[in-house]
Amino acid sequence: MASNNVSVTQHSSRLLSLMKQHALLIAFVALVLIIAVFTPNFLSSANLINVLRQSAIVGLIAIGSTFVITGGGFDISVGSILALSAALVLGFQAWMPWQLAVPVVIAIGAMIGMINGILTAKIGIVAIITTLGTMTILRGVTYIYTGGYPIVGESEAFRVLGSGYIGPIPVPVLLFILMVALGQFVLSRTKLGRYTCAVGGNKESARLSGVPVDFYQIMTFVIGGAMAAMAGIIYASRLNSATPLAGQGYELDAIAATVIGGTSVAGGRGSVIGTLIGVLLLTVVNNMFNLLGVPVYIQYVIKGVIILTVVGVDAYHRREKY
């Protein structure tokens, strides 16, 4: 009898542990089921494809944000990098093939990230202040480059990146899934990923262990800038135009999805797969609000409450741990 009670207790403990580990995934599945009951059109193939397509642009930014936040930084300039990248990749088509413009613009995004990283790691400016400054500068540069007017692309073939399909799957969705797989591999299986976690977890301990802290922190910003530029290219390709206001507010969605996905705001812990679920969760919530006709200002309030709740839970668990 006693052995049976011990066995039941062990099984209960394992089940509880398993539920804690996959709480986000369980919450996501539960939310999808609830939404499917109240909105009959939610599970239609057209709507599901639409959800995935809407996730792609913010999702690409969020992958970069996962590296930056895991490394102990913060980057709020990614929305402005998106706007500048979208304008540049369309403008460059006037004097170079779009196939060349795409890698050039991604390299520019990576260089902007490098500047953010150097200002933060080498000069010592707090990351959120650094990226607040570059966010403002880049938005102004985008206004100067476009003259304040929408800019339009010249190549119809370029639109395949944002509007094309491979089989039944949109190209942006395939690119997003590919980058999630690559990002998760780098973060969990490579020296860059391990050192990023070490630097974000405890910078001084990592430095004393011989880790080149500044280099790896700069690299997280480089990845963040490159991913934001890639998102800008997809954005421009989908609309075949870009305005100086493109991407406003995307940095908050990306950070929210990253934190909801389990990346610690204190650094040292992150998962690109978790970010994928966080992005899908936010997109599904937005989709549900639109299907139910919830006003936009109410959506902002609820989204803010979700972010504060998740960050609050993370902070509470860290305080309990230490």
Side-chain angles (χ1 to χ4, degrees), residues 4-318:
N4 288 339
N5 289 337
V6 171
S7 178
V8 170
T9 303
Q10 288 177 340
H11 282 300
S12 299
S13 178
R14 287 174 188 169
L15 181 61
L16 191 60
S17 174
L18 197 63
M19 290 179 67
K20 282 184 178 178
Q21 289 177 8
H22 302 285
L24 180 64
L25 185 60
I26 293 170
F28 176 68
V29 172
L31 181 63
V32 167
L33 292 175
I34 292 170
I35 295 173
V37 169
F38 288 99
T39 53
N41 293 329
F42 178 76
L43 290 180
S44 67
S45 59
N47 189 56
L48 291 179
I49 290 292
N50 186 43
V51 168
L52 290 171
R53 192 201 296 271
Q54 288 177 351
S55 303
I57 293 176
V58 171
L60 288 171
I61 301 175
I63 292 171
S65 296
T66 303
F67 279 87
V68 174
I69 295 175
T70 301
F74 228 75
D75 189 350
I76 60 172
S77 69
V78 287
S80 296
I81 295 176
L82 180 149
L84 181 60
S85 302
L88 290 178
V89 77
L90 294 171
F92 285 176
Q93 291 174 22
W95 48 280
M96 70 170 67
W98 70 267
Q99 295 91 339
L100 181 59
V102 167
V104 168
V105 169
I106 291 176
I108 291 173
M111 286 179 60
I112 295 170
M114 183 182 294
I115 293 170
N116 280 333
I118 290 172
L119 290 173
T120 301
K122 293 292 187 183
I123 307 299
I125 304 174
V126 177
I128 196 166
I129 301 300
T130 298
T131 54
L132 177 64
T134 50
M135 177 183 76
T136 308
I137 292 170
L138 294 174
R139 190 66 68 180
V141 170
T142 308
Y143 268 101
I144 293 170
Y145 182 75
T146 63
Y149 295 100
I151 188 168
V152 180
E154 298 190 1
S155 172
E156 278 298 315
F158 171 65
R159 301 195 66 179
V160 70
L161 293 178
S163 305
Y165 283 80
I166 296 180
I169 311 297
V171 172
V173 175
L174 289 174
L175 286 174
F176 177 39
I177 293 172
L178 179 66
M179 295 312 298
V180 166
L182 180 61
Q184 181 64 27
F185 175 79
V186 171
L187 192 58
S188 62
R189 300 285 183 180
T190 68
K191 187 165 77 172
L192 172 60
R194 290 194 297 274
Y195 282 180
T196 295
C197 293
V199 170
N202 191 320
K203 189 181 289 187
E204 286 310 310
S205 294
R207 197 188 304 276
L208 291 173
S209 300
V211 176
V213 170
D214 292 349
F215 171 77
Y216 284 101
Q217 190 166 29
I218 291 170
M219 283 303 298
T220 64
F221 283 96
V222 170
I223 294 171
M227 295 306 301
M230 189 179 295
I233 291 167
I234 299 298
Y235 180 98
S237 173
R238 184 176 175 187
L239 301 177
N240 201 32
S241 70
T243 71
L245 296 175
Q248 276 194 328
Y250 282 23
E251 61 275 356
L252 296 180
D253 285 343
I255 291 170
T258 303
V259 174
I260 290 171
T263 297
S264 172
V265 289
R269 175 169 53 84
S271 162
V272 178
I273 295 294
T275 297
L276 166 65
I277 298 175
V279 170
L280 291 175
L281 194 63
L282 272 184
T283 308
V284 165
V285 169
N286 286 334
N287 187 257
M288 176 190 69
F289 288 151
N290 292 332
L291 289 174
L292 295 176
V294 177
V296 174
Y297 50 87
I298 299 294
Q299 296 185 27
Y300 282 129
V301 172
I302 296 176
K303 195 183 296 183
V305 170
I306 292 173
I307 294 170
L308 285 177
T309 302
V310 172
V311 173
V313 169
D314 178 64
Y316 177 79
H317 280 307
R318 278 189 287 108

